[in-house]
């Protein structure tokens, strides 16, 4: 099969659909952890203190009970619609971009010989592309989850909410936290792809060593694929978590009036102010608030993302590619036969 057929328009559409399916499934599973993460990240008060007023949420189970008691089941899944739109948009663009970048990188001798560089660079760029496209929905999702339950902000819809924010606050409002997001997303997604590929290679090599049976197709059982993707997500997130806290807090100053029931608001008019105030009032621990639910979420999210996408590719995209290859072989065979008949017919006339 030629390279053009390996990356045909139909294959690219299937890759984008696979990304969308992966994003939708992942968001549905991980949304409650996302709600917890955002609520913890935006708290200024210490989790526990003998002298100061403790924060509203002090632990994962307590936070779940608190949200459920005050807001019901809808509170636990708050912002799911905006999150779902964001996740599908992000996953479609990310996985499609990654596949195109990897296809282009395969044409380069350098990247063909240094695959790990290819995984990191292509993954990082693909993550940035997905982030730029999904940023407006991330702004809406954060505001919906972080706002008081009865406020107008908590009832924003993904698309109409994005237009409303843009109309009232301009590009700065709808792109709030974008630059910091891009700075953290490149190493995060790049490392995620890199660790995932490395762990998969280790699993294949270990399996071949234990069973003494070659595995040329690099087939990996589903549970091990899930574990590999989960570990890659946890390790990657740990590396850049403080930047995620600063990003979320920098989105707050546009709607501080809609967060009266959550205690004090962090003063984050700029990234620099956010870093200085967080360190001054909360110390280093302030940059790691909400990390436990975030790591749970990142592990499960990464595991679902890659496992669902890889299974989709195996049963749908790769099946179609095999069909294209067989069809191309048939067409090539017909062309050869036609040329051979024409040549025989020409020689017979002489």
């Amino acid at each position: 099969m030629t390279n053009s057929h390996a990356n045909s328009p139909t294959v690219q559409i299937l890759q984008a659909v696979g990304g969308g399916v992966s994003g939708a499934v992942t968001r549905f599973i991980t949304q409650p952890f996302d709600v917890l993460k955002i609520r913890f990240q935006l708290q200024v008060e210490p989790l526990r203190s003998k002298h100061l007023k403790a924060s509203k949420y002090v632990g994962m189970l307590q936070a779940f009970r608190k949200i459920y008691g005050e807001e019901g089941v809808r509170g636990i899944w708050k912002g799911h619609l905006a999150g779902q739109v964001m996740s599908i948009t992000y996953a479609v663009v990310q996985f499609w971009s990654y596949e195109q970048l990897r296809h282009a990188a395969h044409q380069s001798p350098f990247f063909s010989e240094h695959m790990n560089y290819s995984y990191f660079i292509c993954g990082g760029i693909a993550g940035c592309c997905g982030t730029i496209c999904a940023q407006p929905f991330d702004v809406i999702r954060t505001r919906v989850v972080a706002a008081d339950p009865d406020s107008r902000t908590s009832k924003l819809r993904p698309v109409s909410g994005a237009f409303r924010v843009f109309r009232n606050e301009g590009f700065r409002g709808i792109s709030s936290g974008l630059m910091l997001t891009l700075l953290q997303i490149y190493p995060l997604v790049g490392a995620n792809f890199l660790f995932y590929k490395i762990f998969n290679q280790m699993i294949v090599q270990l399996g071949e060593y234990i069973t003494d049976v070659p595995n040329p197709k690099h087939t990996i059982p589903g549970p091990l694929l899930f574990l590999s993707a989960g570990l890659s997500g946890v390790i990657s997130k740990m590396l850049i978590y403080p930047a995620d806290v600063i990003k979320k807090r920098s989105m707050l100053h546009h709607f501080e009036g809609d967060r009266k029931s959550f205690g004090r608001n962090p003063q984050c008019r700029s990234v620099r102010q956010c870093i200085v105030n967080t360190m001054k009032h909360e110390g280093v621990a302030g940059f790691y608030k909400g990390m436990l639910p975030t790591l749970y979420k990142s592990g499960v999210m990464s595991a679902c993302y890659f496992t669902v996408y890889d299974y989709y590719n195996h049963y749908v995209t790769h099946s179609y590619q095999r069909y294209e290859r067989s069809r191309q072989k048939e067409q090539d065979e017909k062309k050869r036969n036609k040329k051979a008949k024409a040549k025989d017919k020409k020689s017979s006339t002489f």
Side-chain angles (χ1 to χ4, degrees):
M1 185 178 67
T2 62
N3 286 335
S4 60
H5 282 278
N7 203 36
S8 67
T10 304
V11 170
Q12 293 186 39
I13 291 172
L14 290 175
Q15 290 166 346
V17 171
V21 171
S22 173
V25 172
T26 302
R27 172 56 55 180
F28 179 78
I29 294 173
T30 61
Q31 177 64 17
F33 293 111
D34 206 39
V35 171
L36 286 189
K37 180 195 79 168
I38 293 175
R39 295 284 177 91
F40 274 110
Q41 286 181 337
L42 302 184
Q43 289 187 144
V44 176
E45 296 85 358
L47 295 181
R48 291 182 177 84
S49 176
K50 294 181 180 179
H51 307 289
L52 300 175
K53 180 182 177 182
S55 58
K56 185 171 184 177
Y57 307 114
V58 296
M60 285 185 62
L61 293 179
Q62 180 269 346
F64 266 124
R65 288 194 297 266
K66 188 83 171 177
I67 294 171
Y68 178 77
E70 293 180 349
E71 306 171 47
V73 175
R74 293 183 65 180
I76 296 174
W77 293 90
K78 197 171 185 180
H80 180 63
L81 181 59
Q84 195 65 268
V85 174
M86 182 200 74
S87 290
I88 293 174
T89 302
Y90 174 81
V92 165
V93 176
Q94 181 203 33
F95 281 113
W96 179 85
S97 300
Y98 177 78
E99 296 291 357
Q100 310 325 305
L101 291 166
R102 285 281 293 117
H103 179 74
H106 269 305
Q107 317 306 315
S108 166
F110 175 81
F111 285 118
S112 296
E113 296 174 3
H114 302 83
M115 300 296 288
N116 287 343
Y117 288 117
S118 175
Y119 298 143
F120 183 81
I121 293 173
C122 294
I125 295 174
C128 290
C129 291
T131 298
I132 291 171
C133 294
Q135 174 67 14
F137 307 119
D138 189 21
V139 171
I140 301 303
R141 174 194 63 131
T142 300
R143 295 190 178 197
V144 169
V145 174
D148 290 328
D150 297 326
S151 67
R152 188 179 178 186
T153 299
S154 70
K155 296 174 175 61
L156 288 174
R157 297 296 179 185
V159 178
S160 61
F163 277 111
R164 175 185 158 190
V165 171
F166 181 76
R167 185 173 61 251
N168 296 336
E169 304 169 26
F171 179 76
R172 186 173 183 178
I174 202 63
S175 63
S176 179
L178 178 60
M179 291 307 299
L180 188 60
T181 303
L182 293 176
L183 288 175
Q184 65 162 319
I185 210 70
Y186 186 93
L188 171 66
V189 180
N192 207 342
F193 273 95
L194 175 61
F195 286 132
Y196 178 62
K197 298 296 184 180
I198 290 176
F199 290 154
N200 285 351
Q201 292 169 4
M202 292 171 61
I203 291 171
V204 170
Q205 292 171 1
L206 184 62
E208 290 178 335
Y209 176 78
I210 294 174
T211 62
D212 200 25
V213 176
N215 184 5
K217 293 185 177 180
H218 292 183
T219 303
I220 300 175
L224 291 179
L225 203 65
F226 192 86
L227 178 63
S228 170
L231 285 175
S232 70
V234 169
I235 294 173
S236 303
K237 194 65 178 181
M238 288 177 66
L239 297 176
I240 57 89
Y241 186 77
D244 192 42
V245 174
I246 299 302
K247 181 196 80 169
K248 285 291 185 295
R249 292 187 171 193
S250 68
M251 294 179 179
L252 280 183
H253 70 271
H254 294 287
F255 66 107
E256 291 176 347
D258 289 331
R259 284 181 44 80
K260 296 177 181 177
S261 68
F262 291 101
R264 288 161 50 208
N265 284 309
Q267 297 301 307
C268 293
R269 300 282 173 174
S270 66
V271 171
R272 181 179 178 278
Q273 184 188 37
C274 200
I275 294 173
V276 171
N277 285 343
T278 300
M279 178 63 74
K280 179 180 178 181
H281 298 294
E282 304 168 65
V284 175
F287 295 101
Y288 292 91
K289 279 187 173 179
M291 190 168 80
L292 186 58
T294 300
L295 293 183
Y296 276 118
K297 176 209 165 189
S298 295
V300 175
M301 177 173 276
S302 180
C304 292
Y305 258 136
F306 284 110
T307 303
V308 172
Y309 182 72
D310 278 355
Y311 265 84
Y312 175 93
N313 268 350
H314 178 75
Y315 289 106
V316 179
T317 307
H318 294 166
S319 296
Y320 182 80
Q321 287 178 317
R322 287 192 292 270
Y323 164 73
E324 277 194 340
R325 282 196 295 267
S326 64
R327 189 176 65 175
Q328 182 63 30
K329 286 181 180 179
E330 291 177 1
Q331 291 176 352
D332 292 343
E333 186 67 28
K334 287 180 180 179
K335 288 180 181 179
R336 283 194 294 268
N337 292 337
K338 189 175 181 179
K339 287 182 180 179
K341 287 180 180 179
K343 187 176 181 181
D344 292 341
K345 185 176 181 180
K346 186 176 181 181
S347 61
S348 64
T349 58
F350 292 98

